[in-house]
Amino acid sequence: MGRLTGKTALVTGSSRGIGRAIAEKLGREGALVAVHYANGANSAEEVVAAVEGDGGRAFAVRAELGVPGDVDTLFEGLAAGLEERTGSADLDILVNNAGLMAMGAPEEVTPDMFDRMMAVNAKAPFFIVQRALATLRDGGRVINISSGLTRVANPDQVTYGMTKGALEQIALHFSRHLGPRRITVNTVAPGSTDNGGELFKIPEVREALSKLSTFGEVGDPAAVADVVAFLASDDARWVTGAFIDATGGTLLG
């Protein structure tokens, strides 16, 4: 019996990287996990299989975020999957992990690029939380995955940092709004974390990124997932509106 046995969870952007690690961790803790993806159905099904291989339960849900009708599509698929397996569309845990990152000098940022990143990283999570309020059980959990880049300066990622800063406001304000329902809302901020991308396979790049952490290594998605699982559990019932630094000491200066 895990800490989340009997709970239901939605993890957006969970077909790879940190999202995948979170989905698999919540599954091992006993939650029924909805594995959301926008592209890459095969990868999402691999996550479902991994959860089931560990004795858990999961199903995949597809919805492209940042486009008209995105939240409707997501919650229609979520409701169908939950009702099929539990007889109810009630949700206990919502993890807003999906995000879009683009790098470039501030002079290179276009209005279209700015709008797209804001739509995926900030607007979609806001309306996902808003929509979830109707089915999120009292005592539920909302966990937003932000970034250490809201606390340090990197001009090449100014737009990304702005969108994640906006995302963090959800925890600040919704935690107060949802307190009477005992729903906690928190932010987890990873640092440089190996998401399986080609960038992390380049020795010189990996070495440079490792130096950002006080531990001298690139972050492991599983370490971030452990923090999320804690916040999703009853152990974190007295933590809400918090910014949790999961950067491996990158923000220590």
Side-chain angles (χ1 to χ4, degrees):
M1 295 289 286
R3 291 181 293 178
L4 304 178
T5 297
K7 305 292 187 181
T8 58
L10 166 63
V11 184
T12 67
S14 50
S15 63
R16 65 184 185 88
I18 292 175
R20 174 172 183 160
I22 293 171
E24 293 180 357
K25 175 66 176 180
L26 298 186
R28 286 194 296 272
E29 290 285 357
L32 167 61
V33 184
V35 177
H36 162 260
Y37 69 100
N39 300 294
N42 290 340
S43 296
E45 290 299 338
E46 287 177 6
V47 179
V48 171
V51 172
E52 293 177 341
D54 284 336
R57 297 189 299 160
F59 62 94
V61 178
R62 184 189 182 281
E64 181 179 356
L65 301 182
V67 299
D70 54 355
V71 176
D72 289 338
T73 300
L74 174 62
F75 276 84
E76 287 167 5
L78 174 65
L82 290 177
E83 289 173 354
E84 177 184 343
R85 291 161 178 82
T86 70
S88 167
D90 288 345
L91 186 66
D92 295 293
I93 302 159
L94 167 61
V95 182
N96 278 309
N97 168 77
L100 179 66
M101 177 186 286
M103 297 182 64
E107 296 86 353
E108 299 172 354
V109 177
T110 66
D112 286 345
M113 181 191 304
F114 183 96
D115 289 345
R116 175 62 177 159
M117 291 183 67
M118 189 64 74
V120 174
N121 297 0
K123 182 179 179 181
F126 176 89
F127 286 102
I128 288 172
V129 174
Q130 182 193 72
R131 179 68 171 267
L133 297 185
T135 55
L136 195 63
R137 291 189 179 104
D138 289 356
R141 301 285 187 264
V142 178
I143 303 157
N144 297 323
I145 307 302
S146 181
S147 169
L149 283 168
T150 64
R151 299 297 192 274
V152 295
N154 183 347
D156 285 349
Q157 293 178 302
V158 58
T159 307
Y160 181 75
M162 288 176 66
T163 64
K164 289 298 186 178
L167 175 66
E168 291 174 8
Q169 294 300 304
I170 292 176
L172 179 64
H173 298 285
F174 273 86
S175 59
R176 173 72 74 180
H177 182 59
L178 298 175
R181 293 181 54 189
R182 314 296 290 188
I183 296 172
T184 67
V185 190
N186 292 291
T187 297
V188 174
S192 180
T193 306
D194 189 346
N195 62 6
E198 294 300 316
L199 186 68
F200 290 93
K201 298 177 183 178
I202 303 173
E204 296 81 4
V205 174
R206 191 175 185 91
E207 181 181 0
L209 294 175
S210 296
K211 293 179 180 178
L212 299 176
S213 165
T214 192
F215 300 122
E217 57 188 66
V218 171
D220 179 358
V224 179
D226 286 344
V227 176
V228 173
F230 162 71
L231 290 173
S233 75
D234 193 53
D235 294 339
R237 62 192 177 278
W238 206 239
V239 180
T240 194
F243 173 90
I244 307 298
D245 177 353
T247 67
T250 299
L251 304 184
L252 293 176

